[in-house]
Amino acid sequence: LVLTLCRLPSSAEVEFCLSLTQYESGSMDKMANYSFRNTLEGFADPRTAISNTSQSGLHNALHIYMNGSMSQVQGSANDPIFVLHHAFVDSIFEQWLRRHRPMLEVYPAANAPIGHNRENYMVPFIPLYRNGEFFKSSRELGYDYEYLQEPALDSFQEFLIPYLRQVRQIWAWLVGAAVIGGVVTAVLTGLILACRKKRRGTSSEIQPLLIESEDYNNISYQSNF
């Protein structure tokens, strides 16, 4: 009789797994390093993300810890804990999707085990769906996890959020453009003021009076014929 000792995953290990930025690295198998998928599945060390098939972590660890039918691939779905366990694993995947917002292209389109490529169908489920169709947030699939729900936003905030995200991406360029614009404006303003001051000092003329002061009293509005 071989007794396999196993412990439950810690919250720190879950958080480390969530910090991994790559969904998959290299081939989609048990030997992948620094792969979120392989670490969550339990074939990589949950503290280093290095593949270690001699130990079980995260998802796999709980199957072994529960023992009984739960520890056997063929019969684990018969244990009621199976549904709860995989729902929680899915919620971890959901957190990762919301944190990193990956493109669909990061899901392998080739070289994955049979049935696991992006465009492969998920058999034997009916109706047929491809793996890539589920590489999206649970909210897009019509369900959510209560402990992951975000506070409701009013329509104005929802309208602004996409623009604020774009501003975060280009804020450095905006600040640089504002600084350059301010310098250019200051230089132009200084040149304009200097030109005006020069004109006032050099081009002013004293216009002679059209009528001398001593003749002013002799002016008459009458015409002499």
Side-chain angles (χ1 to χ4, degrees), residues 13-162:
E13 291 172 342
V14 173
E15 181 57 35
F16 173 78
C17 182
L18 287 169
S19 71
L20 298 173
T21 58
Q22 296 184 84
Y23 176 77
E24 194 54 84
S25 60
S27 58
M28 194 176 183
D29 58 22
K30 299 178 182 180
M31 305 307 296
N33 295 322
Y34 307 109
S35 159
F36 166 77
R37 189 272 315 161
N38 202 37
T39 305
L40 178 60
E41 196 167 351
F43 295 113
D45 192 309
R47 293 161 295 184
T48 63
I50 301 297
S51 174
N52 186 355
T53 56
S54 65
Q55 296 181 355
S56 295
L58 297 185
H59 161 267
N60 291 346
L62 188 129
H63 276 279
I64 297 174
Y65 181 86
M66 294 302 298
N67 207 353
S69 61
M70 186 69 170
S71 64
Q72 303 297 320
V73 175
Q74 298 85 349
S76 59
N78 295 326
D79 192 321
I81 297 296
F82 179 90
V83 176
L84 296 176
H85 173 44
H86 281 260
F88 183 67
V89 171
D90 181 68
S91 75
I92 296 175
F93 175 53
E94 176 64 21
Q95 290 184 68
W96 185 84
L97 287 174
R98 296 186 188 184
R99 182 179 299 188
H100 300 284
R101 301 182 181 277
M103 302 293 291
L104 178 60
E105 288 70 22
V106 307
Y107 192 105
N111 301 320
I114 296 175
H116 289 76
N117 288 319
R118 186 196 312 159
E119 298 302 320
N120 290 156
Y121 287 101
M122 301 177 65
V123 293
F125 303 109
I126 301 295
L128 296 177
Y129 289 100
R130 292 181 173 88
N131 293 317
E133 295 180 65
F134 287 88
F135 196 69
K136 60 179 65 173
S137 172
S138 64
R139 290 175 294 189
E140 296 183 50
L141 297 173
Y143 70 97
D144 200 356
Y145 293 95
E146 184 175 359
Y147 82 103
L148 296 181
Q149 288 181 349
E150 300 172 354
L153 301 175
D154 57 41
S155 57
F156 181 70
Q157 287 178 305
E158 292 177 350
F159 172 78
L160 286 179
I161 283 177

